[in-house]
Amino acid sequence: MPPTGEPLHVVGLTKRFGSVTAVKDLSFEVSPGRVTGFLGPNGSGKTTTLRCLLGLVTPTSGSAHIGSAPYRALPDPTRMVGAALEASGFHPARTARNHLRVIATAAGLDARRVDASLETVGLTTAAGRKVGGFSLGMRQRLALAAALLGDPGALLLDEPANGLDPEGIAWLRTFLRALAAEGRTVLVSSHVLSEVRQTVDDVVIISRGELVHAGTLADLEKTATSHTTVRSPSTEALAAALRESAPHASVDPAGEGALSVLGLSPAEVGHVAFTRGIEVHELSSSAGDLERVFLELTASGNPGGAL
Amino acid sequence: MTGNLLHLVRAEWLKASTTKLLWIMVLGALGFTALNVVALILVAPEASAALLDIDALQSPEYLTSVLASASSASLFVLLLGIIAMTGEYRHMTITSTFLAAPRRGRVVLAKGVTYAVMGAAIAVISVAWCTLVAFAVLIGREHAPITAGMVGSILFGVALGLAIYAVVGVSVGALIKNQVAAIVIAILWVMLVEPLLSVFVSGIGKWLPGGALNAAMNVTTQADLTAADVLPVWGGALLLLAYAVVFATVASLTTVRRDIT
């Protein structure tokens, strides 16, 4: 029976390093049983927030709790929270298995968890090799294995897809979905929305240390300005029909036989075409749309602002 | 239960035994102490014989001081403690260390306990090694017998002194997290600053860490010019321990508490 995850509560979190404010009055919640994407450009405060949640960085004000307590007050932190923070925290001359044995011993965990975690992340054959010779992808897997040692109910992963090959990313996606399905809390940071789009249920987006959006991915997709590409043998007729039925949409030619429609979903464009009896060859909404919304959100410097 | 001191001590031993540092320091200590033994047997007696018209090798006191070369493992023990502590910051393993044991003071305490045991173990090995080397070099020479009593008279002191000195190393490492800076400062202090202070400020020598170490080890080495002016063994041991505790406490309240970024 896998452990149920505690929710994460970040309330009014502010962290200043000297004169630099890394995180400013940040509040959000992360629910168990879901994968939450923690998104923002590099340097937006994601890592600082994660480190506050893990008791490695002391907040200037506000709080970052696991369930109802800060990490340092948890009775058995490694069994409640697993964290993979960065790929650099290894002694290069120590083997992967010994790295995990050190952590398991310090935390008082069952030694068998070491080989189990290595197997979960697919590092069994490399377990006896020195970490100094590992690729970035292998280090990421080892960091993930360390996070899994205590079979924790909550996982905090900082850019876990960095350095993974496409196969690894696909594996990670399935793995994280399975963990959330077991009722665990999964928080995954990334600076690229498209990277986690197929993995996450919820998103928390920050920019310059401040919250710009928190909610479900589905809501964000709905909020996103629909940007549809449509191919048709009769683009002129279709363009006219679209402008007539949806004056707010902007319709532009996008190469020969194609239109770029801003402000309408593929379904809406398809509906207009269908009612007018116009032949349609392709109807798509690319991932670039959401990515563009993400970029607009994080570049606007307009916290909490509407789109 | 997290923060269990026994778990943390076992983890520290695992850290030490899964990298080469400990073995390099042990080898360094053995090499350096052997060099001292050889030099004291081959070179020094010739000089003293010419000067004092006695054969030093016939003197049990002189031979005891030869075996006491084991105490010169101290620099390696100090560096072992420093590198073990600062290495956590250098390789950023401090992140997973503090995730597994969020009560940071306990981590420093566990390191202190672990390296105290290692310091004592290195002392015992060094004394045995120096005795062995002395026997080997003395073959074919006229000398006073090397007795178990001689070995016994230095063993406890060297073990006590090096155990505490290793803790001083860990504390200094916790205080000065930058590995290179900590090593340079420690070597400069031991080799230059403390000897100069001891010579130029009369009476201060026995109150400094090196003086306290010599008192705790209770050995008279031939190189020791201020041997006459030392604290009693218990005084030296307590003073040295006080240095370790003060450094560790100051570190726990300052550097160890800082954000791990």
Side-chain angles (χ1 to χ4, degrees):
Chain A
M1 182 75 190
T4 308
E6 297 279 347
L8 312 180
H9 303 281
V10 174
V11 181
L13 183 71
T14 297
K15 179 61 188 180
R16 277 189 288 274
F17 294 108
S19 60
V20 179
T21 303
V23 177
K24 192 176 170 192
D25 195 23
L26 180 63
S27 299
F28 64 88
E29 304 242 327
V30 179
S31 310
R34 302 173 72 82
V35 180
T36 303
F38 188 29
L39 305 165
N42 288 325
S44 57
K46 301 188 299 291
T47 301
T48 300
T49 304
L50 292 178
R51 284 182 176 267
C52 284
L53 273 163
L54 294 164
L56 295 167
V57 165
T58 308
T60 305
S61 63
S63 65
H65 286 182
I66 316 289
S68 55
Y71 187 87
R72 284 187 224 180
L74 297 177
D76 211 347
T78 49
R79 286 195 179 86
M80 292 179 75
V81 189
L85 277 181
E86 61 207 324
S88 63
F90 308 108
H91 192 298
R94 200 171 279 141
T95 66
R97 178 181 283 114
N98 283 334
H99 174 74
L100 297 182
R101 282 175 69 208
V102 166
I103 298 170
T105 305
L109 300 170
D110 189 336
R112 282 172 298 187
R113 289 292 308 158
V114 170
D115 284 327
S117 300
L118 282 166
E119 182 161 4
T120 305
V121 302
L123 278 182
T124 302
T125 53
R129 281 170 52 193
K130 290 177 180 177
V131 181
F134 274 22
S135 67
L136 179 58
M138 290 168 84
R139 284 163 195 253
Q140 289 283 27
R141 285 171 186 269
L142 182 55
L144 186 60
L148 294 171
L149 276 176
D151 193 22
L155 277 163
L156 275 59
L157 309 176
D158 198 4
E159 305 264 358
N162 261 5
L164 290 186
D165 52 25
E167 238 175 289
I169 291 174
W171 168 81
L172 183 67
R173 185 172 290 153
T174 314
F175 183 62
L176 296 181
R177 296 282 348 145
L179 289 172
E182 289 173 348
R184 297 181 211 243
T185 310
V186 183
L187 182 64
V188 188
S189 85
S190 177
H191 62 280
V192 196
L193 175 58
S194 56
E195 189 179 81
V196 296
R197 189 181 175 182
Q198 290 170 281
T199 315
V200 302
D201 304 297
D202 296 333
V203 289
V204 173
I205 303 176
I206 66 171
S207 172
R208 298 187 193 98
E210 295 181 76
L211 184 74
V212 289
H213 182 88
T216 64
L217 180 70
D219 279 349
L220 184 68
E221 282 175 332
K222 245 183 270 169
T223 315
T225 310
S226 307
H227 182 223
T228 303
T229 302
V230 55
R231 284 185 181 282
S232 168
S234 38
T235 46
E236 278 181 28
L238 181 58
L242 287 169
R243 288 194 186 101
E244 190 188 314
S245 61
H248 66 275
S250 81
V251 182
D252 297 298
E256 204 171 324
L259 291 175
S260 164
V261 185
L262 203 61
L264 289 178
S265 70
E268 288 166 324
V269 173
H271 179 74
V272 171
F274 178 73
T275 53
R276 304 295 173 99
I278 297 170
E279 188 178 346
V280 167
H281 291 168
E282 185 199 326
L283 202 48
S284 66
S285 165
S286 62
D289 309 346
L290 198 59
E291 197 62 31
R292 204 177 58 187
V293 171
F294 172 61
L295 289 174
E296 278 169 16
L297 271 172
T298 53
S300 66
N302 179 22
L307 291 161
Chain B
M1 187 60 206
T2 306
N4 182 315
L5 198 60
L6 191 66
H7 290 160
L8 296 181
V9 168
R10 280 175 49 212
E12 287 305 326
W13 167 248
L14 206 50
K15 283 177 198 172
S17 60
T18 52
T19 56
K20 290 200 190 97
L21 172 69
L22 175 61
W23 316 121
I24 290 171
M25 286 299 158
V26 170
L27 283 181
L30 295 186
F32 189 63
T33 52
L35 214 63
N36 275 276
V37 171
V38 172
L40 285 173
I41 291 175
L42 294 187
V43 185
E46 314 285 327
S48 69
L51 218 69
L52 303 166
D53 198 29
I54 50 151
D55 186 354
L57 295 182
Q58 297 293 349
S59 150
E61 287 77 24
Y62 185 81
L63 284 185
T64 308
S65 76
V66 169
L67 301 185
S69 298
S71 63
S72 58
S74 60
L75 185 62
F76 294 90
V77 168
L78 180 70
L79 292 181
L80 176 65
I82 289 175
I83 297 173
M85 188 69 226
T86 53
E88 294 257 17
Y89 290 97
R90 187 178 156 209
H91 300 297
M92 281 312 288
T93 49
I94 197 73
T95 297
S96 47
T97 296
F98 284 162
L99 283 178
R103 290 155 79 184
R104 300 180 181 184
R106 287 235 162 173
V107 172
V108 179
L109 180 63
K111 259 201 200 326
V113 170
T114 310
Y115 283 83
V117 175
M118 284 188 208
I122 290 174
V124 172
I125 293 167
S126 295
V127 170
W129 168 251
C130 287
T131 309
L132 210 68
V133 172
F135 265 119
V137 182
L138 285 169
I139 288 171
R141 284 166 203 275
E142 295 268 317
H143 65 88
I146 292 179
T147 64
M150 285 181 185
V151 178
S153 72
I154 57 171
L155 188 63
F156 174 76
V158 176
L160 178 70
L162 293 195
I164 305 173
Y165 211 41
V167 185
V168 172
V170 170
S171 314
V172 169
L175 203 54
I176 310 167
K177 295 190 290 187
N178 183 299
Q179 189 165 76
V180 175
I183 292 172
V184 169
I185 288 171
I187 291 179
L188 279 181
W189 177 267
V190 171
M191 301 284 201
L192 201 68
V193 180
E194 180 160 342
L196 285 178
L197 275 176
S198 302
V199 168
F200 289 109
V201 186
S202 84
I204 201 177
K206 63 179 170 182
W207 302 110
L208 299 175
L213 173 67
N214 282 338
M217 292 196 295
N218 192 28
V219 290
T220 314
T221 57
Q222 294 302 306
D224 201 347
L225 298 170
T226 55
D229 188 27
V230 290
L231 296 170
V233 173
W234 61 268
L238 283 181
L239 179 58
L240 193 59
L241 191 60
Y243 273 112
V245 169
V246 168
F247 289 157
T249 306
V250 172
S252 292
L253 296 174
T254 56
T255 49
V256 176
R257 236 189 222 184
R258 293 215 180 112
D259 293 335
I260 307 295
T261 53

